[in-house]
């Protein structure tokens, strides 16, 4: 006795290719797509980058570490104020764009929030814009940033709220678990069409 023909299951949605394109453009920029992503980020994130630098109140004798500087807009702004500016990014394309923008005003190296390459208590300010959602291990990232900050040093973090894997309040809790204090979190609406930003300020206790 023959059995009715069973239709083949539908193919999986074709999202993996698109996800790879997004990752190469914005997540882990590389090649021509990475440079395109850098161009987009330089324009779309500029207002937020400058706001975070303003909020940091950087002094001329301070060292600033920028995690995930992308094309270097915020890093350049910080480097003009600080005595020493460092940018760490896992993308060679982004480091190249940073070098084009910042020249010798900033030190650049491959790295991440969890692996900055900085000595302990060597940094006064840490800045991160639209990068925390890419940290593979946020606990390790917050722990590393706490380690490299001097007592009294501050962390300023901003990210598109809709892209955060957790709420900004959870991020604050994670920063507190790493040892940070004086935690403040809020949202900010950049000018133009940029997405609502969730922002966090934290201080390493003196």
């Amino acid at each position: 006795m023959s059995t009715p023909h069973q239709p083949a299951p539908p193919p999986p949605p074709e999202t993996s290719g698109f996800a790879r394109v997004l990752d190469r453009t914005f997540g882990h920029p590389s090649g021509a797509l990475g440079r395109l992503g850098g161009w987009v980020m330089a324009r779309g994130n500029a207002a937020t980058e400058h706001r975070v630098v303003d909020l940091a109140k950087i002094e001329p004798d301070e060292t600033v570490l920028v995690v995930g500087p992308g094309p270097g807009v915020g890093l350049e702004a910080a480097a003009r104020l600080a005595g020493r500016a460092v940018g760490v990014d896992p993308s060679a394309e982004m480091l190249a764009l940073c070098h084009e923008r910042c020249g010798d005003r900033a030190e650049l190296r491959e790295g991440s929030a969890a692996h900055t390459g900085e000595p302990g208590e060597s940094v006064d300010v840490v800045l991160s814009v639209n990068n925390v959602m890419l940290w593979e291990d946020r606990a390790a990232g917050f722990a590393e940033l706490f380690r490299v900050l001097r007592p009294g040093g501050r962390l300023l973090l901003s990210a598109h709220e809709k892209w955060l894997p957790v709420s900004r309040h959870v991020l604050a809790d994670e920063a507190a678990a790493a040892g940070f204090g004086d935690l403040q979190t809020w949202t900010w609406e950049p000018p133009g069409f940029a997405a609502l930003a969730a922002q966090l300020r934290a201080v390493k206790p003196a």
Side-chain angles (χ1 to χ4, degrees), residues 123-198:
V123 172
D124 300 287
V125 180
V126 174
L127 307 178
S128 172
V129 174
N130 293 335
N131 181 257
V132 67
M133 64 281 284
L134 301 175
W135 297 3
E136 294 182 0
D137 184 335
R138 289 195 307 277
F142 281 121
E144 169 70 355
L145 301 183
F146 186 86
R147 182 188 71 82
V148 302
L149 275 169
R150 296 187 176 105
R154 57 247 186 236
L155 165 67
L156 274 296
L157 184 153
S158 181
H160 294 310
E161 189 171 47
K162 66 180 181 180
W163 290 353
L164 282 176
V166 295
S167 74
R168 59 191 170 90
H169 302 292
V170 170
L171 285 180
D173 290 342
E174 293 174 347
F180 285 98
D182 193 16
L183 290 142
Q184 303 169 50
T185 182
W186 64 93
T187 58
W188 181 67
E189 187 171 355
F193 300 100
L196 186 70

Side-chain angles (χ1 to χ4, degrees), residues 37-63:
W39 183 87
V40 172
M41 286 185 278
R43 284 147 184 80
N45 294 340
T48 303
E49 297 270 13
H50 285 287
R51 174 175 171 79
V52 167
V53 170
D54 288 344
L55 290 171
K57 301 186 183 305
I58 299 165
E59 297 292 337
D61 61 344
E62 291 186 319
T63 293

Side-chain angles (χ1 to χ4, degrees), residues 15-30 33-34:
T15 58
S16 59
F18 182 62
R20 284 196 298 271
V21 168
L22 284 179
D23 185 63
R24 289 177 58 194
T25 307
F26 299 109
H28 299 85
S30 63
L33 285 173

